[in-house]
Structure formats: structure tokens, C-alpha cells
């Protein structure tokens, strides 16, 4: 007996929405479910008194991939937002990411040559800088590390920086120019109508059911479709048989106030004694309308200890977790009728464009497989 759907897609975030769109456009029947009461996963946004609020933290879309940029522009009009966060350490505010202006504010250097000479003086040599602390010390020295990286990292990851892989900090740009753009990518922006509107457009014409927890009725839900696309936690899918993978989670405090609070969308608070990691001011993510809005909404973002039942945001890809994930990955490769995808199912620190890229690749492989089987 044939199933009602070709694909049951567990999760309506970017991976699930992209996969559902591709397979629907190819003529297959998809059902998307999500345990939350809304679509979009962690990119979900909502309008509050004229301000589009990033409910689960800041999301700035960026990519150098023409195909992915053209793809998302099918579903949203993007603004011209450029991510230029600031850092507050004590009473001082600095340009960020680390660039020539940052080093001028810190040391008074005014040219790339002066900055390079100063960096040569302060770098801490390390033959094999394989952890976060050793790597950044080898690049910029102790003062920059303690001002911009150490306290923030300890709060963000709840780990000593020596326990974290260097790959985390290598994502941070270090420039000897006055370029304050956080990202190197060719394209950057935020949907003018918000991410929820974009995901809604991606899911147009596709059946979506929210408030459905896959694990409460797993067998019944699986029976609805020939193939399940799972975007949740891979360790939960397998009943935590090899142990629980570790994640970083977040806690948010939203506040609406009059006027303008900090004059920038993102300000990182790097001092270890400040309990939150950053403050977001959401109206500044839409620079074309920010000055027209008399009120403002700010969000204080706290890193929180992850426990089962909380929202997992970022995988902690240290040696212990990587070894555990590989055991789950072996099971996933052998699993018939299930496709695993997304940050949680693949246990990867994906950016948004990478999630979409992964979904496009896996949907293409699925279509090729179907074509070969027919």
C-alpha cells in the first residue's frame, strides 16, 4: 500500500523548508511537521510594534555562492544590512571585528605597517596552536585576546578557551585595513519582511503542521510517508544510545523601550563580569526604516547550560563529541528510508547559507537516486 506522502520532513527550519520546496517542485508530496507552534526554526522572526524581532538571536544572511543567493532571493527581498558589530569592554567601545580601527583605538597605530610591527611584538609564538587560546595568542597577542576574545568565549561556550578547537576562532576576521564588515562574503543582508515571511514563501503550497512532536508518535508519523527527512538531534533520533552530544544553548531577555538604545544592531560585551554576551537592537537590522521608528526593542543574550528539553543551538565540536557523533553517523549511513540534514542532524556548525547548500545537495542526490531507480 502506498503512503499518503513521499516525504515526511521533521522540522520547518531552513533545511526542511529547502528540501520540501525542491521535492515539491519536482512533483513529490511532502508533509512538514514542527514541534514548535511556528515555522522557521531558529530563524523565526516576528513583528512587534513595527519592529521585526529575531526571536532566537541575530541572523544575518551572507554567502559568496551565486546559486544560493539567487535561490533565497526567489523567496525574499533582502536589504543592504552590513554586519558591523561593536565591542564594549568596561567603559570602552571598540570597532569589531579586529581591524585597523580596532588596533588604532587600542594602541594608537595608524597604518597597516605600524599595526604589523606592533603585532610582531605582542604575538605569543606557538609551534602547534591547535586550541582556541593558543591560536589567537599566536595571531594578536594577550591584550587583544583578553579584551575581545577570552571573556566572551568563556561566556559563550562555557568552556576554557584551551578546551575549544582553534577552528572556532579562525572564523573571526583579523584585518590590517579599516574594513569593519564582519563577513568576507560577496552577498549579505536580511529579508525586508523578516525570515518568517521568507520561510512561509518557501513552504507555499506545502502541507505544514506545527505543534507536532515527532517523538511522541514516531511510528504513526513515519507510516505517513515513504521517506523521513530528519533535521533534529541525531543522538535523540537513536535514543542517545552512545551518549548525549553536547550543545550550546541560549537564553534571551527582550525589552521594549522608547527611543534608541545603542545605535547599532549588535554590541558584544566581552568583559567576563558582564553576565550577557551581547545586546541586540532589532530595528537596526533594518537600516532603511530604523530612524522612522520611535520605540526600540533590545535583547540581552545569555549563554546557558544545555540540558535535555532546552533548545540546542550550536554543537560543541571537540574531540569527545566528534568521536561520539561519528558513531551516530555510521548508523545514519545505514538507515534505510531516512535522510538526515541540518545543524543538529549533521552536528555541524553551519551558517544559514551552508544549511541551504546542504539541503540543495541532498535533494539533488535524492532526485538523482529516484531517476536511477525508475
Amino acid at each position: 500500500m502506498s503512503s499518503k506522502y513521499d516525504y515526511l520532513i521533521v522540522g520547518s527550519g531552513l533545511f526542511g523548508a529547502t528540501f520540501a520546496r525542491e521535492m515539491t517542485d519536482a512533483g513529490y508530496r511532502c508533509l512538514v511537521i514542527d514541534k514548535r507552534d511556528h515555522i522557521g526554526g531558529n530563524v523565526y522572526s516576528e513583528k512587534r510594534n513595527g519592529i521585526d524581532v529575531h526571536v532566537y538571536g541575530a541572523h544575518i544572511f551572507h554567502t559568496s555562492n551565486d546559486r544560493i543567493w539567487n535561490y533565497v532571493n526567489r523567496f525574499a527581498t533582502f536589504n543592504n544590512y552590513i554586519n558591523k558589530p561593536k565591542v564594549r569592554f568596561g567603559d570602552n567601545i571598540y570597532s569589531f571585528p579586529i581591524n585597523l580601527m580596532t588596533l588604532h583605538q587600542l594602541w594608537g597605530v595608524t597604518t597597516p605597517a605600524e599595526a604589523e610591527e606592533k603585532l610582531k611584538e605582542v604575538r605569543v609564538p606557538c609551534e602547534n596552536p591547535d586550541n582556541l587560546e593558543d591560536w589567537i595568542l599566536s595571531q594578536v597577542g594577550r591584550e587583544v585576546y583578553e579584551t575581545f576574545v577570552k571573556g566572551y568565549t568563556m561566556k559563550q561556550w562555557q568552556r576554557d578557551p584551551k578546551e575549544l578547537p582553534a577552528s572556532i576562532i579562525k572564523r573571526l576576521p583579523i584585518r590590517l585595513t579599516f574594513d569593519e564588515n564582519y563577513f568576507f562574503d560577496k552577498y549579505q543582508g536580511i529579508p525586508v519582511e523578516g525570515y518568517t515571511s521568507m520561510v512561509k514563501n518557501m513552504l507555499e503550497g506545502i502541507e505544514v503542521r506545527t505543534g507536532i512532536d515527532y517523538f511522541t508518535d514516531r511510528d504513526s508519523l513515519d507510516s505517513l510517508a515513504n521517506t523521513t527527512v530528519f533535521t533534529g538531534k541525531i543522538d535523540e533520533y537513536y535514543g542517545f544510545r552512545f551518549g548525549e552530544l553536547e550543545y550550546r544553548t541560549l537564553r534571551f531577555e527582550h525589552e521594549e523601550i522608547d527611543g534608541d538604545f545603542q545605535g547599532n544592531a549588535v554590541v558584544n560585551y566581552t568583559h567576563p563580569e558582564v553576565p550577557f554576551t551581547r545586546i541586540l537592537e532589532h530595528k537596526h537590522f533594518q537600516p532603511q526604516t530604523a530612524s522612522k521608528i520611535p520605540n526600540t526593542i533590545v535583547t540581552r543574550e545569555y549563554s546557558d547550560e544545555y540540558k535535555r528539553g532546552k533548545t540546542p543551538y550550536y554543537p560543541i565540536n571537540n574531540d569527545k563529541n566528534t568521536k561520539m557523533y561519528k558513531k551516530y553517523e555510521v548508523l545514519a549511513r545505514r538507515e534505510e528510508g531516512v535522510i538526515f540534514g541540518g545543524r543538529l542532524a549533521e552536528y555541524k556548525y553551519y551558517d544559514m547559507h551552508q544549511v541551504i547548500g546542504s539541503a540543495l545537495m541532498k535533494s539533488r542526490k535524492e532526485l538523482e537516486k529516484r531517476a536511477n531507480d525508475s
Side-chain angles (χ1 to χ4, degrees):
M1 189 174 92
S2 63
S3 300
K4 183 177 179 181
Y5 303 96
D6 296 297
Y7 296 93
L8 169 72
I9 299 169
V10 183
S12 66
L14 290 178
F15 188 98
T18 301
F19 194 97
R21 181 75 271 147
E22 292 302 285
M23 301 313 292
T24 299
D25 288 350
Y28 296 100
R29 302 159 299 167
C30 295
L31 169 64
V32 178
I33 64 169
D34 201 298
K35 68 179 179 180
R36 292 173 174 171
D37 61 0
H38 60 72
I39 61 171
N42 288 344
V43 304
Y44 171 72
S45 61
E46 63 183 33
K47 292 286 186 184
R48 299 180 184 176
N49 292 336
I51 298 171
D52 199 61
V53 175
H54 298 218
V55 176
Y56 300 103
H59 289 84
I60 300 106
F61 197 90
H62 58 97
T63 184
S64 292
N65 187 301
D66 292 336
R67 182 190 178 207
I68 292 175
W69 182 246
N70 291 334
Y71 186 80
V72 295
N73 275 269
R74 287 173 50 191
F75 310 106
T77 299
F78 283 75
N79 66 16
N80 60 351
Y81 177 81
I82 302 297
N83 192 30
K84 298 180 180 180
K86 306 302 175 192
V87 159
R88 181 156 187 164
F89 185 81
D91 293 329
N92 296 317
I93 295 179
Y94 297 96
S95 175
F96 195 73
I98 297 165
N99 65 84
L100 189 52
M101 179 57 76
T102 315
L103 302 181
H104 170 72
Q105 292 165 331
L106 200 63
W107 296 327
V109 298
T110 57
T111 67
E114 289 177 5
E116 180 57 34
E117 281 301 309
K118 182 64 178 179
L119 287 170
K120 284 180 181 177
E121 291 177 19
V122 301
R123 287 177 180 133
V124 180
C126 182
E127 189 173 327
N128 183 30
D130 60 351
N131 66 66
L132 189 153
E133 180 176 293
D134 287 347
W135 189 86
I136 195 67
L137 286 173
S138 74
Q139 301 298 306
V140 294
R142 188 160 297 279
E143 185 177 5
V144 174
Y145 168 61
E146 293 186 350
T147 302
F148 298 95
V149 177
K150 184 177 180 180
Y152 187 90
T153 300
M154 292 179 71
K155 289 189 291 185
Q156 184 85 329
W157 293 95
Q158 299 186 339
R159 298 284 190 283
D160 188 298
K162 285 184 175 292
E163 298 175 11
L164 294 169
S167 59
I168 292 175
I169 198 64
K170 286 180 180 179
R171 298 160 59 94
L172 175 68
I174 301 171
R175 303 188 182 105
L176 298 188
T177 68
F178 287 108
D179 182 4
E180 297 179 292
N181 186 351
Y182 192 93
F183 301 116
F184 290 98
D185 290 296
K186 182 178 177 181
Y187 305 110
Q188 185 175 171
I190 295 171
V192 172
E193 297 300 325
Y195 284 102
T196 300
S197 175
M198 183 181 86
V199 175
K200 182 179 179 181
N201 290 337
M202 294 173 78
L203 292 170
E204 184 178 359
I206 300 169
E207 185 175 350
V208 179
R209 302 179 192 174
T210 57
I212 304 293
D213 188 340
Y214 172 72
F215 291 104
T216 63
D217 197 11
R218 181 171 177 172
D219 291 340
S220 176
L221 288 166
D222 281 338
S223 70
L224 294 175
N226 300 320
T227 301
T228 296
V229 179
F230 183 76
T231 72
K233 292 166 53 184
I234 191 169
D235 52 347
E236 185 176 17
Y237 183 89
Y238 287 109
F240 308 105
R241 71 176 68 176
F242 301 125
E244 293 195 42
L245 292 165
E246 294 178 298
Y247 300 86
R248 182 170 66 82
T249 189
L250 301 170
R251 178 169 59 86
F252 305 100
E253 291 180 357
H254 305 287
E255 180 184 8
E256 183 168 0
I257 55 180
D258 293 330
D260 203 323
F261 181 76
Q262 62 188 21
N264 204 57
V266 182
V267 177
N268 294 345
Y269 284 73
T270 59
H271 199 287
E273 292 183 5
V274 178
F276 45 84
T277 55
R278 60 183 179 176
I279 295 180
L280 312 178
E281 188 167 6
H282 297 273
K283 72 178 182 180
H284 290 296
F285 287 119
Q286 299 287 351
Q288 71 278 8
T289 58
S291 63
K292 302 173 185 176
I293 301 174
N295 57 308
T296 197
I297 296 175
V298 298
T299 298
R300 290 169 180 83
E301 188 173 301
Y302 298 80
S303 186
D304 197 12
E305 180 183 358
Y306 176 76
K307 294 179 181 178
R308 198 184 299 184
K310 292 184 178 182
T311 301
Y313 284 89
Y314 305 107
I316 300 175
N317 296 116
N318 56 18
D319 288 343
K320 171 189 168 185
N321 287 300
T322 298
K323 289 176 182 176
M324 189 187 302
Y325 168 69
K326 287 186 181 300
K327 294 180 180 178
Y328 287 117
E329 187 181 28
V330 169
L331 296 181
R333 286 176 178 172
R334 296 172 180 168
E335 193 80 34
E336 293 289 335
V338 182
I339 297 169
F340 295 87
R343 182 179 277 188
L344 302 181
E346 298 180 64
Y347 202 67
K348 288 184 180 178
Y349 194 106
Y350 274 142
D351 286 327
M352 287 183 287
H353 67 287
Q354 293 169 322
V355 172
I356 290 173
S358 175
L360 289 173
M361 179 190 69
K362 293 194 175 189
S363 60
R364 184 172 64 250
K365 284 185 176 179
E366 180 68 5
L367 289 171
E368 289 172 354
K369 178 184 173 184
R370 282 183 168 271
N372 291 332
D373 290 344
S374 62

